């Protein structure tokens, strides 16, 4: 298990905006969401105080909203191959969700050192802003509920074309299954995922790994190159291209 360190909110840079004139005079600016199918509008991740093997890199974000209105959601339960879903959000609702996220305060984070947190990433033309709030923060709870309402319809599976396998060394004495591909260990990760590696799979290799890992539970162990590993498949989302994005 990894302990989640204190996360500092980056400065807010929300460049895209429109000017609104109020009835009483004076102008105010309202931020406009970025557009495009691979452009992140906002992302909400739920991080426990004690992270699983693989750290934050092993956890898919709970909600990711993109500029074309796609909302990709991850289940709260872990184990086996992650089953993400895709929903469509109207342009007006994308704008409202974006403005709600853009208005989030900077902290405070968890009330206790190992307390669970909600991390929200807000996209904008000038750069991304990250806010970390306590799991039970009222503003975070409202945003999470708003996103959940848009993910309540008939589910459409999100079928990623690229998946990162986050592998963490396990006890070599534990029973383990043979890893179905020539290699399992990938590039080293850092931060809360230090000690784990990341291997990006596409095409036939991705299909092979999915067939092997899909029926397995989260506690399954895998043997590769004389070592035993615990793995966590992490589907890459439309704005992600590799391990550096985790």
């Amino acid at each position: 298990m990894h302990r989640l360190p204190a996360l500092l909110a980056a400065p807010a840079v929300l460049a895209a905006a429109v000017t609104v004139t109020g009835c009483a005079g004076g102008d105010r600016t309202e931020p406009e969401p970025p557009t495009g199918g691979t452009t992140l509008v906002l992302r909400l991740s739920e991080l426990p105080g004690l992270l699983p093997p693989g750290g934050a890199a092993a956890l898919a974000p709970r909600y990711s909203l993109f500029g074309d209105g796609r909302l990709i959601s991850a289940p709260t339960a872990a184990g086996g191959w992650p089953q993400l879903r895709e929903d469509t959000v109207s342009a007006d609702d994308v704008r409202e969700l974006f403005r709600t996220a853009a208005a989030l305060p900077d902290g405070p984070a968890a009330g206790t050192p190992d307390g669970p947190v909600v991390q929200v990433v807000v996209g904008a033309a000038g750069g991304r802003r990250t806010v970390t709030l306590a799991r039970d923060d009222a503003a975070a709870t409202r945003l999470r509920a708003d996103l959940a309402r848009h993910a309540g319809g008939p589910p459409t599976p999100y079928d990623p074309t690229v998946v990162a396998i986050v592998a963490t060394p396990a006890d070599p004495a534990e029973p383990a299954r043979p890893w179905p591909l020539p290699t399992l260990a990938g590039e080293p990760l850092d931060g809360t995922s230090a000690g784990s590696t990341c291997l990006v799979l596409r095409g036939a290799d991705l299909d092979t790994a999915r067939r092997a890992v899909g029926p397995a539970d989260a506690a399954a162990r895998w043997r590769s190159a004389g070592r035993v590993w615990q793995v966590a498949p992490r589907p890459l989302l439309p704005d992600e291209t590799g391990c550096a994005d985790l």
Side-chain angles (χ1 to χ4, degrees), residues 7 13 50 143-145 149 158 201-202 205 219-221 236:
L7 296 172
V13 185
L50 294 176
L143 177 60
R144 184 169 52 240
R149 280 194 288 272
Y158 172 67
L201 299 181
R202 297 177 173 86
D205 285 347
R221 301 294 187 263
L236 295 190

Side-chain angles (χ1 to χ4, degrees), residues 24-160:
D27 294 337
R28 63 189 179 90
T29 57
E30 291 282 1
E32 284 292 297
T35 59
T38 61
T39 304
L40 183 70
V41 172
L42 72 91
R43 172 166 289 144
L44 186 148
S45 300
E46 298 176 323
L47 303 177
L50 294 176
L51 292 168
L59 299 174
R62 186 73 179 89
Y63 299 105
S64 296
L65 178 62
F66 295 90
D68 61 353
R70 274 192 299 173
L71 176 64
I72 299 174
S73 309
T76 54
W81 198 267
Q83 304 297 318
L84 277 60
R85 61 174 286 159
E86 183 175 331
D87 294 272
T88 301
V89 179
S90 71
D92 286 344
D93 287 336
V94 168
R95 183 179 297 107
E96 187 65 27
L97 288 165
F98 173 73
R99 290 176 179 173
T100 299
L104 286 174
D106 291 332
T112 59
D114 295 327
V117 298
V118 172
Q119 188 179 75
V120 179
V121 179
V122 186
R128 293 183 178 184
R129 173 190 178 219
T130 301
V131 177
T132 303
L133 300 169
R135 177 70 169 79
D136 58 357
D137 178 85
T141 299
R142 286 193 297 271
L143 177 60
R144 184 169 52 240
D146 289 343
L147 289 164
R149 280 194 288 272
H150 291 286
T156 298
Y158 172 67
D159 187 18

